[in-house]
Amino acid sequence: MTTFRFALGAVMTLALPVAAQAQEVTLRLSHWVPAGISPSTKGIIPWAEDVQSASDGRIAVQIFPAQQLGKAPDHYDMARQGIVDIAYVNPGYTAGRFPIYALTEVPFMASDSVKGAKAIHEWYAEYGAAQEMGDVKVCFVHPHGPGTLHSEVKITSPDEVKGKNVRPAHATMARFVSLLGGGPVQVPAPEVREALSRGTAEAVTFPWGSMYDFNLTDEVTQHLDMPFYLSSQLMVMNLDSYNNLSDENKAVIDDHCTPEWSERVAQGWFEDDMAAREKLAADPEQTLNTPTEEEVAAWREAAKPLIDEWRTAVEAKGQDADAILEAYRTSLEENGASY
């Protein structure tokens, strides 16, 4: 059985039993989340561990967590330029760079992050990856469980965002906050607690588990209890690092860069997010606020301009926005992930 050792903030080296090792290549994988939280322990590490196991130890994976090698918004270029072999990317941290993929950031599109991961991977492989991420190899899509709004004061309707500073999950959510009359405070996930504690932000859009992952329960105690949006990270690989592998090792990577792996990787994070929601609900210091049907309708109506803005951005790149949008909705529906 594959084993691994890690410590918070430390490099993680995955290791097979000695008898199985026949190492040919070491791949350096960089990500920006703390090493001990769900995206890492339930997603990144098991994927890397399985790559090594499936290669019978020919491929070793060295993991650098918690922004050790670079800031979160830099990770796409770190992979593209070969600074690392594999990188964990949030496309929404670089506004306007990946307009097709930004459709996955629009709220009230996907209701299930596990089935949604597979749906997004299938759709993007056909309609976007070559067009805007052709200089890397896309390995898997990694959304959290549907996230929501966490705030210092109760918010259940879109008009209550007006005048408040909100840390958005990505560029599309930042635009939504602006449309609602709020002020977006854009900082990467590891810097959210500082923004809240300093008063720079009064609310944050985050998955449920992040309340505990980033120690935010003392900062924001009011939680909008509805599936709101996804932030769908990607694992990408440097093309030279991939092309320089033996055919046998390429096959291992190919087998781990599939829609099915996206679905598999997303499962653990979803389960932990839902467990965190239940933990918050049981905590008398925290309040989950369920919006009325009218308030849900108001949220969805308020989000409609985001689709028009997305369409304009995609058409400016010469792409058929209507076909891409229809294909995305179809993929979500076919995979049982439509909102």
Side-chain angles (χ1 to χ4, degrees):
M1 181 182 294
T2 304
T3 60
F4 58 86
R5 299 184 300 274
F6 68 91
L8 290 179
V11 176
M12 292 173 278
T13 301
L14 308 180
L16 285 169
V18 174
Q21 289 183 348
Q23 183 180 330
E24 297 175 0
V25 61
T26 298
L27 300 177
R28 301 194 337 149
L29 187 161
S30 178
H31 68 81
W32 37 268
V33 301
I37 71 173
S38 186
S40 174
T41 62
K42 298 293 183 70
I44 296 170
I45 291 175
W47 179 84
E49 186 181 26
D50 206 82
V51 166
Q52 183 167 292
S53 179
S55 72
D56 293 325
R58 296 186 309 274
I59 301 173
V61 181
Q62 190 176 28
I63 301 178
F64 297 83
Q67 302 189 106
Q68 286 186 2
L69 300 184
K71 291 291 188 180
D74 298 332
H75 271 61
Y76 184 88
D77 286 327
M78 288 164 59
R80 181 180 64 85
Q81 296 169 5
I83 296 171
V84 298
D85 302 296
I86 305 171
Y88 190 67
V89 175
N90 184 333
Y93 284 172
T94 49
R97 186 169 185 179
F98 307 106
I100 295 174
Y101 198 76
L103 183 58
T104 68
E105 301 169 1
V106 175
F108 315 118
M109 296 286 282
S111 62
D112 186 304
S113 60
V114 179
K115 296 174 182 177
K118 182 172 179 285
I120 291 168
H121 193 141
E122 291 175 346
W123 160 77
Y124 195 60
E126 182 173 357
Y127 286 91
Q131 292 90 327
E132 57 189 18
M133 293 191 191
D135 44 10
V136 297
K137 178 178 178 65
V138 173
C139 285
F140 63 79
V141 175
H142 197 203
H144 51 63
T148 190
L149 182 69
H150 313 272
S151 52
E152 296 175 353
V153 299
K154 179 180 177 181
I155 296 176
T156 56
S157 65
D159 60 297
E160 292 170 332
V161 175
K162 186 175 182 179
K164 293 181 175 61
N165 292 325
V166 181
R167 182 270 175 182
H170 40 56
T172 302
M173 191 58 67
R175 181 58 186 147
F176 192 32
V177 169
S178 295
L179 287 173
L180 297 177
V185 179
Q186 293 179 286
V187 297
E191 300 171 25
V192 170
R193 180 176 172 81
E194 182 179 4
L196 291 168
S197 63
R198 288 186 174 183
T200 307
E202 304 159 78
V204 56
T205 55
F206 246 164
W208 294 100
S210 292
M211 293 299 101
Y212 297 105
D213 292 341
F214 297 101
N215 300 312
L216 302 181
T217 53
D218 290 338
E219 305 292 341
V220 285
T221 61
Q222 300 287 325
H223 313 279
L224 180 63
D225 193 16
M226 64 181 291
F228 198 91
Y229 76 98
L230 293 183
S231 177
S232 300
Q233 288 62 234
L234 293 164
M235 190 69 82
V236 302
M237 185 172 184
N238 175 267
L239 288 180
D240 287 339
S241 298
Y242 172 77
N243 290 328
N244 288 336
L245 295 174
S246 67
D247 289 344
E248 192 174 24
N249 288 341
K250 282 180 183 175
V252 171
I253 296 298
D254 290 342
D255 287 345
H256 287 76
C257 295
T258 65
E260 289 71 27
W261 261 102
S262 290
E263 184 175 33
R264 179 174 171 179
V265 167
Q267 182 66 43
W269 197 358
F270 169 79
E271 291 172 356
D272 281 3
D273 274 334
M274 295 304 100
R277 180 192 170 280
E278 293 305 311
K279 183 177 178 180
L280 286 166
D283 184 345
E285 300 297 321
Q286 308 294 318
T287 303
L288 274 61
N289 301 302
T290 302
T292 65
E293 291 184 7
E294 291 77 13
E295 288 171 331
V296 172
W299 282 109
R300 299 189 70 173
E301 183 67 25
K304 285 183 178 179
L306 296 173
I307 290 290
D308 295 331
E309 293 183 359
W310 171 85
R311 182 182 284 107
T312 298
V314 169
E315 289 175 347
K317 298 290 185 179
Q319 302 294 327
D320 186 343
D322 288 336
I324 294 169
L325 176 59
E326 180 60 28
Y328 183 52
R329 286 174 168 157
T330 298
S331 187
L332 290 173
E333 289 171 3
E334 290 179 346
N335 282 281
S338 185
Y339 200 91

